[in-house]
């Protein structure tokens, strides 16, 4: 996929050029996730304005050991990145001739995680973090061509929705509003991706939803998210949010998404009903 709308800031281009070099040096693959991924895909690929901008860059790393993770960090340090002495997963980057400091958050996943989809951070390994869903998102990632001889591996929209859904489930009340807002943004704009509305008339659910494109797009998103899920992740989402006894959780998510909870809930019910019958 290519960037069609606007250009990435020069700071970002330089950052991703160096990320690619470090990835090759450490023989470790990475993927852009989080809000910057959302902005890049929606704004620069599809021309859909994001709800807010961020200068934080969330990077997920497919790693089989903490040694590999440290090798990647060391490769970044050699080409101008700075580590945070207090937080092992944070780094910063200030390109030459720029006043815009970028903050990087590095999260490893893959074989480095345990059977529950958790990683335990060194040095004490007493702090756990869930990376459930990251492998699915990684397998379905997009490769974005910046038109500058730099390609960026980026989480797909379906993968981002999956990660945001899990993040919302896992975070406590009062700390997950941004996740809910991102879920709302994807649900609201999924039907407006290039060529999507035309294709929705041919979807399996089109007649069932009386050719209501918004409803069909939600159903399609649910199918796409379900398709990339592993059995473990599928069961987790079902048990925490989708099952019939989780109506209250679904209502909470609808309330936190935007100022129109009734409309939000109607979309989430469509998502639930399609997702759980995959």
């Amino acid at each position: 996929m290519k960037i069609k709308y606007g250009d990435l800031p020069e700071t970002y281009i330089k950052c991703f050029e160096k990320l690619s070099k470090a990835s090759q040096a450490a023989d470790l693959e990475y993927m852009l996730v989080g809000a910057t991924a959302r902005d890049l895909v929606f704004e620069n690929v599809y021309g859909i304005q994001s709800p807010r901008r961020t200068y934080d860059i969330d990077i997920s790393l497919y790693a089989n050991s903490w040694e590999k993770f440290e090798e990647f960090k060391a490769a970044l340090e050699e080409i101008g990145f700075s580590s945070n002495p207090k937080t092992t997963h944070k780094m910063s980057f200030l390109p030459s001739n720029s006043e815009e400091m970028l903050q990087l958050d590095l999260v490893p996943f893959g074989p480095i995680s345990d059977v529950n989809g958790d990683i335990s951070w060194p040095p004490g390994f007493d702090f756990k973090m869930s990376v459930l869903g990251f492998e699915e998102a990684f397998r379905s990632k997009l490769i974005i061509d910046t038109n500058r001889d730099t390609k960026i591996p980026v989480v797909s929209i379906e993968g981002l929705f999956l990660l945001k859904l899990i993040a919302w489930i896992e975070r406590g009340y009062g700390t997950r509003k941004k996740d809910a807002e991102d879920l709302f943004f994807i649900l609201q704009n999924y039907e407006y991706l290039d060529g999507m509305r035309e294709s929705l008339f041919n979807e399996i659910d089109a007649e069932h939803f009386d050719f209501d494109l918004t409803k069909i797009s939600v159903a399609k998103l649910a199918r796409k998210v379900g398709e990339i899920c592993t059995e473990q992740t599928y069961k987790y989402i079902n048990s925490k949010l989708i099952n019939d006894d989780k109506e209250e959780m679904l209502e909470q998510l609808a309330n936190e998404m935007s100022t129109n909870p009734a409309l939000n809930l109607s979309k989430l019910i469509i998502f639930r009903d399609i997702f759980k019958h995959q």
Side-chain angles (χ1 to χ4, degrees):
M1 304 184 77
K2 284 183 174 289
I3 287 179
K4 301 176 185 177
Y5 300 91
D7 295 315
L8 284 184
E10 190 67 23
T11 307
Y12 281 76
I13 294 290
K14 291 180 179 178
C15 178
F16 286 110
E17 285 175 350
K18 290 181 178 293
L19 281 167
S20 294
K21 289 180 182 178
S23 175
Q24 293 171 11
D27 191 24
L28 182 154
E29 293 186 78
Y30 80 94
M31 175 180 65
L32 177 65
V33 295
T36 303
R38 176 205 64 207
D39 296 343
L40 176 57
V41 175
F42 275 99
E43 291 197 9
N44 297 111
V45 174
Y46 291 110
I48 298 172
Q49 184 71 38
S50 292
R52 60 184 185 275
R53 297 294 298 186
T54 178
Y55 292 104
D56 294 338
I57 296 180
D58 297 319
I59 299 294
S60 58
L61 307 166
Y62 189 86
N64 56 22
S65 68
W66 286 105
E67 288 75 19
K68 268 292 181 186
F69 177 75
E70 291 298 332
E71 187 178 337
F72 181 80
K73 286 182 61 180
L76 286 176
E77 288 176 340
E78 288 181 5
I79 52 178
F81 286 71
S82 301
S83 291
N84 186 320
K86 295 182 179 179
T87 311
T88 188
H89 59 89
K90 290 188 179 295
M91 301 188 77
S92 57
F93 176 63
L94 180 64
S96 57
N97 302 320
S98 174
E99 297 180 356
E100 185 180 323
M101 176 79 75
L102 296 180
Q103 302 295 331
L104 273 70
D105 201 330
L106 308 177
V107 177
F109 69 97
I112 199 171
S113 63
D114 62 25
V115 294
N116 297 315
D118 294 328
I119 56 172
S120 299
W121 288 97
F125 299 100
D126 51 352
F127 176 71
K128 282 191 174 185
M129 174 181 173
S130 173
V131 289
L132 193 66
F134 276 74
E135 287 212 40
E136 294 98 304
F138 183 73
R139 287 197 301 269
S140 63
K141 68 182 179 296
L142 307 172
I143 304 298
I144 306 297
D145 187 342
T146 64
N147 306 314
R148 292 276 303 276
D149 296 325
T150 300
K151 291 181 171 58
I152 308 173
V154 183
V155 65
S156 68
I157 291 173
E158 296 82 9
L160 180 62
F161 193 90
L162 174 64
L163 294 180
K164 288 293 182 177
L165 202 59
I166 294 172
W168 185 87
I169 292 170
E170 292 177 338
R171 296 189 212 272
Y173 182 78
T175 63
R176 60 194 185 187
K177 184 170 176 55
K178 288 184 179 179
D179 298 314
E181 290 174 347
D182 283 336
L183 290 168
F184 168 76
F185 177 75
I186 295 172
L187 282 172
Q188 186 182 42
N189 290 286
Y190 194 67
E191 67 178 290
Y192 298 108
L193 303 181
D194 288 352
M196 178 68 77
R197 287 173 68 84
E198 295 84 350
S199 71
L200 292 175
F201 289 103
N202 298 316
E203 284 295 311
I204 189 173
D205 305 296
E207 189 172 354
H208 173 74
F209 290 114
D210 295 323
F211 297 96
D212 183 316
L213 297 185
T214 298
K215 293 179 180 179
I216 303 167
S217 72
V218 174
K220 181 170 184 174
L221 178 62
R223 292 189 190 281
K224 290 287 188 180
V225 173
E227 286 171 4
I228 66 174
C229 279
T230 63
E231 183 178 359
Q232 180 185 24
T233 304
Y234 178 80
K235 287 182 176 178
Y236 175 82
I237 294 174
N238 266 306
S239 66
K240 299 293 185 179
L241 186 65
I242 302 298
N243 284 347
D244 292 338
D245 62 344
K246 298 299 180 181
E247 191 73 32
E248 185 177 338
M249 282 283 286
L250 216 62
E251 290 175 358
Q252 287 178 17
L253 176 53
N255 286 329
E256 293 177 28
M257 282 169 62
S258 77
T259 56
N260 195 338
L263 180 59
N264 299 337
L265 184 59
S266 68
K267 292 180 181 180
L268 288 173
I269 288 172
I270 292 172
F271 185 92
R272 176 196 66 189
D273 292 345
I274 297 297
F275 184 87
K276 74 178 181 180
H277 290 117
Q278 297 255 47

